[in-house]
Amino acid sequence: MDMDRMLEKPAEAIRTLLSNIDEFGTTRSMARIIQAGFLEKRDPYIVNLLKMFRVSMLKDLKKKAKILVNKGAFLLGIMDETGTLKEGEVFCQISGASSKGRHKVIQGETVVFRNPCFHPGDIRVVKAVDNPKLHHLVDVLVFSSQGFRDIPSMCSGGDLDGDDYTIFWDEDLIPKTKNYEAMDYTAEAPLRVDEVSIMHICKFFVNYINNDNLGVIANAHLATADRSAKGALDGACLRLAQLHSLAVDFPKSGKPAKLSDDLRVSVFPDFMQKKDKESYESQKVLGKIYREIDKSDYKEYQSQLVDNTVYDVRLRVDNMERYIQEARELKAEYGRDLLALMNQYGVQTEAEIVSGYIIKWLKKGNRKSMHEIQKQTMAAVTNMRKLWRERFDRNLEDELGARHAKAAAWYYVTYHPEERFRDVSEEGKFLSFPWIVDDILCEIAKMNNSIVSEEDRAKPVDDALVKRFGDARKPMQYTMYYSSDEESEGEEDLDELKSSEHDDSESQDENADDEEEITPAIKSFVLTSQPPPKQPSTNISPEITIVKNENHFNVSASEGDEALANALL
């Protein structure tokens, strides 16, 4: 199958990934990294993401029978406000679906349905047409407003107040028997009383608890359809479909759906995984898919992940040494942030949380669906990545070379064997740090793709050079000492004259008169990163001394601000 070939064939991996675009953008990012040649280099980050993608797809296929249909879409349904679509017609324009990446208008016979889908009439075969008046609508499914009965109401009693619909235009999936008579989904009239009392509320609550059997009806329908040769056309299935519609409307109508004993099921097909019930091997397609996939393919996924890194010499960039000291510090901080998110949401591995393909949650008991929890987790990861991208861009020179050098430094501190040996903590093994800027890494890799592995390019960086660059990037703190020509009373006056901060303007205004009387005119001062040695006199040479990285720069006190600024720079 395609997923088994992905790790060996980059082109196959890219095709499969781009056919399974996810809402978090993970597959697009993975495809970009593979296109830059990192899969061929067996980069552990992309290898692990591909393995998680494969495991997630296999698990969904086994447990949910989730099958990708390339010629299909899941879209919001809307009404044709122009009134130009005829009865039984729909308009569907998909973004980026053509060979040139442009919008594609679907034409011809299509299948439209809405979940949950229980009745054979819920699946409608309709005609998709090209309508120039609707070309401004993209990635939505437009239904006609003409005809005796609208299509959405035939699809499991749907409407256009936010419902999503599935559309297929794959000819192999068009059913031979088209458009069974749709079920009537008109809701039961609600129970009415002259005045609602607290007793009515209590009675409804108890009635709802006793008759909340929506899940029981759905399971009975699936098991009955699998057991019957007629499938969903079986009489019991048609009755269960009606009961399911009543159960959906029960909170609004107040009329419960009564499940009779003859419709209840006690034996279930194996793919439904009812461990506490009697089961049998289903001979239909769902049973065959279920048994075809071995649990070990996703149960033992952690043992398949790799962490051995090989430094890609294509990402050795000139002047990256100036950013390595900072990158080491940032990588440690990033690792702590990511580990905190993993602990917060109960995710076991780095590959799971950065990809969104989470196989097993450590934390349970939340009533939210798995999809909602996954969206919440990925929203937190996305926000963290966004903040770290801002950290990358902060104080960065507006030059292409600076961006490349900094990204290369992030990659170096994560992947080089010397750096891996330096940090042996749990978060030190994380690989996702440099891929915050995956677009820049891919850009560098493509530029240097012709470079053959050289021993010199794989050598560790010069730590002495890294330290010098790191010290140079540290912000300097200066203290100014000043004095006048007047005689002072010794070292106590010097201490009183020390100042590293100015008083706020309000305090200065309040004491302005006093300062005019007691503050002498300043004739000379010293600007230094270290306190000056104590001297017997407070008279200081009339020049400015700037001490920076053990280098001294002298500027006459009579020089202007420009000379001082140049000395500081």
Side-chain angles (χ1 to χ4, degrees):
M1 59 192 305
D2 291 347
M3 286 182 286
D4 291 332
R5 296 195 296 265
M6 287 193 304
L7 291 171
E8 304 302 329
K9 297 183 178 181
E12 192 73 36
I14 293 171
R15 186 189 68 80
T16 304
L17 290 170
L18 294 182
S19 299
N20 290 271
I21 300 298
D22 63 288
E23 60 186 299
F24 311 118
T26 303
T27 52
R28 290 185 186 275
S29 174
M30 291 167 64
R32 181 167 59 242
I33 294 171
I34 295 172
Q35 286 172 337
F38 286 100
L39 180 58
E40 295 169 289
K41 299 285 185 180
R42 309 309 295 172
D43 182 279
Y45 176 76
I46 187 61
V47 167
N48 286 343
L49 292 195
L50 279 176
K51 287 183 176 182
M52 295 310 306
F53 171 81
R54 176 183 177 275
V55 167
S56 177
M57 296 292 286
L58 289 175
K59 183 181 178 184
D60 283 346
L61 188 59
K62 185 176 181 70
K63 289 184 170 288
K64 303 176 183 178
K66 197 172 182 180
I67 303 173
L68 170 72
V69 178
N70 290 323
K71 296 180 180 180
F74 181 64
L75 304 170
L76 175 72
I78 64 172
M79 187 187 72
D80 170 28
E81 297 181 351
T82 66
T84 53
L85 288 178
K86 298 178 182 178
E87 182 179 3
E89 291 183 343
V90 296
F91 175 79
C92 180
Q93 183 175 205
I94 307 298
S95 61
S98 70
S99 58
K100 297 182 180 179
R102 299 173 183 170
H103 300 334
K104 178 181 179 180
V105 176
I106 308 303
Q107 297 185 66
E109 274 194 330
T110 61
V111 176
V112 174
F113 64 91
R114 168 183 171 271
N115 283 324
C117 188
F118 290 94
H119 193 274
D122 291 340
I123 300 174
R124 312 307 299 175
V125 178
V126 298
K127 184 180 180 181
V129 298
D130 185 7
N131 188 329
K133 292 186 177 180
L134 300 175
H135 278 186
H136 62 287
L137 299 172
V138 183
D139 291 336
V140 291
L141 185 56
V142 187
F143 290 98
S144 172
S145 57
Q146 310 295 323
F148 174 73
R149 183 177 177 184
D150 60 286
I151 295 173
S153 70
M154 301 181 195
C155 299
S156 307
D159 50 38
L160 299 177
D161 64 353
D163 289 359
D164 293 314
Y165 296 81
T166 300
I167 178 171
F168 295 156
W169 54 92
D170 191 326
E171 295 178 359
D172 294 335
L173 297 177
I174 304 295
K176 295 179 180 179
T177 304
K178 303 172 184 177
N179 294 337
Y180 289 95
E181 183 179 356
M183 195 173 82
D184 183 9
Y185 286 97
T186 304
E188 291 277 343
L191 297 173
R192 295 185 178 276
V193 294
D194 294 334
E195 183 178 352
V196 177
S197 66
I198 191 64
M199 287 303 298
H200 289 114
I201 297 174
C202 294
K203 185 178 180 180
F204 173 80
F205 180 78
V206 173
N207 197 25
Y208 179 82
I209 295 298
N210 290 332
N211 294 281
D212 183 19
N213 53 9
L214 190 65
V216 175
I217 294 172
N219 286 336
H221 183 279
L222 181 56
T224 303
D226 181 80
R227 189 176 63 249
S228 172
K230 295 181 179 180
L233 290 170
D234 188 270
C237 287
L238 296 178
R239 290 169 61 195
L240 286 166
Q242 293 173 332
L243 286 175
H244 189 274
S245 177
L246 288 174
V248 169
D249 292 330
F250 172 50
K252 293 181 287 186
S253 67
K255 296 182 179 180
K258 300 289 187 180
L259 184 62
S260 58
D261 291 339
D262 63 314
L263 295 178
R264 293 184 180 274
V265 176
S266 58
V267 182
F268 294 86
D270 54 353
F271 64 81
M272 292 186 69
Q273 304 175 73
K274 298 289 185 181
K275 296 180 181 179
D276 58 335
K277 306 289 185 181
E278 184 181 351
S279 66
Y280 63 92
E281 282 194 4
S282 169
Q283 299 307 310
K284 293 190 176 180
V285 62
L286 293 180
K288 293 178 180 179
I289 291 174
Y290 175 77
R291 291 188 297 275
E292 185 69 22
I293 300 171
D294 193 344
K295 280 186 177 181
S296 62
D297 284 335
Y298 58 86
K299 284 286 186 181
E300 301 171 4
Y301 70 96
Q302 292 190 50
S303 62
Q304 301 174 17
L305 301 179
V306 296
D307 62 359
N308 54 313
T309 61
V310 177
Y311 180 67
D312 191 341
V313 296
R314 296 181 301 166
L315 297 175
R316 187 76 174 234
V317 175
D318 292 339
N319 296 321
M320 72 178 191
E321 291 85 358
R322 68 174 63 245
Y323 298 103
I324 284 180
Q325 185 61 44
E326 177 193 43
R328 287 170 178 165
E329 298 168 0
L330 292 177
K331 179 179 179 293
E333 187 178 344
Y334 170 86
R336 291 190 292 269
D337 287 351
L338 188 63
L339 188 61
L341 278 183
M342 292 169 62
N343 291 333
Q344 179 180 351
Y345 290 100
V347 180
Q348 298 185 77
T349 65
E350 178 194 26
E352 287 177 274
I353 197 165
V354 298
S355 67
Y357 304 123
I358 301 170
I359 306 304
K360 185 177 181 181
W361 300 87
L362 294 179
K363 293 184 178 180
K364 296 183 179 180
N366 197 318
R367 289 186 62 85
K368 293 182 180 179
S369 69
M370 287 296 101
H371 183 65
E372 288 176 323
I373 298 173
Q374 183 191 30
K375 286 184 68 174
Q376 183 179 354
T377 304
M378 287 307 295
V381 173
T382 301
N383 288 335
M384 189 194 79
R385 289 177 65 89
K386 182 180 178 182
L387 290 173
W388 274 97
R389 184 59 187 248
E390 292 173 358
R391 291 282 296 271
F392 177 86
D393 294 329
R394 191 182 302 168
N395 300 326
L396 186 63
E397 297 88 343
D398 189 18
E399 299 176 6
L400 183 62
R403 293 171 66 248
H404 284 184
K406 190 169 184 178
W410 282 29
Y411 178 84
Y412 177 88
V413 301
T414 305
Y415 275 79
H416 199 278
E418 289 290 324
E419 300 293 325
R420 301 284 289 178
F421 182 75
R422 181 190 298 269
D423 188 354
V424 295
S425 63
E426 180 181 355
E427 57 269 27
K429 297 178 182 178
F430 291 163
L431 299 168
S432 58
F433 173 61
W435 300 104
I436 295 291
V437 289
D438 62 347
D439 54 328
I440 303 178
L441 294 183
C442 292
E443 187 178 321
I444 300 170
K446 290 178 179 178
M447 288 173 56
N448 299 332
N449 211 31
S450 59
I451 292 179
V452 180
S453 181
E454 301 173 8
E455 188 176 346
D456 288 344
R457 297 183 66 86
K459 284 183 177 179
V461 295
D462 183 353
D463 266 343
L465 181 60
V466 169
K467 187 177 186 305
R468 284 201 297 273
F469 276 125
D471 292 341
R473 295 183 67 85
K474 290 180 181 178
M476 299 298 294
Q477 294 184 348
Y478 295 98
T479 305
M480 179 161 48
Y481 304 90
Y482 55 91
S483 66
S484 71
D485 283 346
E486 296 183 9
E487 292 293 327
S488 64
E489 297 181 0
E491 295 179 359
E492 293 182 359
D493 292 324
L494 177 60
D495 292 337
E496 291 176 359
L497 289 171
K498 278 188 183 180
S499 173
S500 59
E501 296 180 354
H502 292 291
D503 295 330
D504 56 52
S505 58
E506 183 176 348
S507 298
Q508 290 179 358
D509 291 339
E510 291 175 358
N511 300 302
D513 295 335
D514 294 338
E515 287 179 354
E516 290 179 1
E517 294 178 3
I518 64 174
T519 304
I522 297 174
K523 298 296 184 180
S524 63
F525 55 91
V526 173
L527 188 63
T528 177
S529 61
Q530 299 293 334
K534 293 186 177 181
Q535 300 178 5
S537 172
T538 59
N539 288 325
I540 300 176
S541 174
E543 66 178 8
I544 301 168
T545 301
I546 299 173
V547 182
K548 185 174 182 181
N549 296 335
E550 300 181 357
N551 294 318
H552 293 69
F553 304 92
N554 296 324
V555 181
S556 172
S558 61
E559 294 288 347
D561 293 340
E562 184 177 354
L564 176 59
N566 289 334
L568 284 169
L569 294 174

